[in-house]
Amino acid sequence: GFDAAAGGAGDADYQMVMDELFMPIAREFKPDLVLVSAGFDAAAGGAGDADYQMVMDELFMPIAREFKPDLVLVSAGFDAAAG
């Protein structure tokens, strides 16, 4: 696995992982199920509607359009303990 959060990775690092690791593997595998975990930790500064919209527009929708999975599970929870 690639734990980008552990190394202080930024947006460009996450995009590189999507483009060079995840998507090539997914194209070869052709998944019927896609699980998107887009939870943001409110204790670490949180995320707003614009952040979730970006995840949907730039991550989830391109994957959904390309693979047309039979089932999609989305986890997009907030850390309730922080607020």
Side-chain angles (χ1 to χ4, degrees):
F2 180 84
D3 188 357
D11 291 346
D13 299 302
Y14 285 100
Q15 190 65 50
M16 183 273 305
V17 169
M18 285 299 296
D19 294 343
E20 297 181 23
L21 180 66
F22 176 79
M23 292 304 288
I25 291 170
R27 285 184 183 108
E28 184 175 334
F29 183 69
K30 298 181 175 98
D32 292 324
L33 166 70
V34 174
L35 171 63
V36 176
S37 178
F40 292 97
D41 187 350
D49 291 343
D51 298 304
Y52 280 95
Q53 188 66 50
M54 183 273 305
V55 168
M56 294 302 288
D57 292 344
E58 296 181 25
L59 174 69
F60 173 71
M61 290 308 297
I63 291 170
R65 283 187 204 101
E66 183 166 345
F67 298 115
K68 298 175 181 60
D70 295 330
L71 178 63
V72 175
L73 301 174
V74 177
S75 171
F78 286 94
D79 182 352

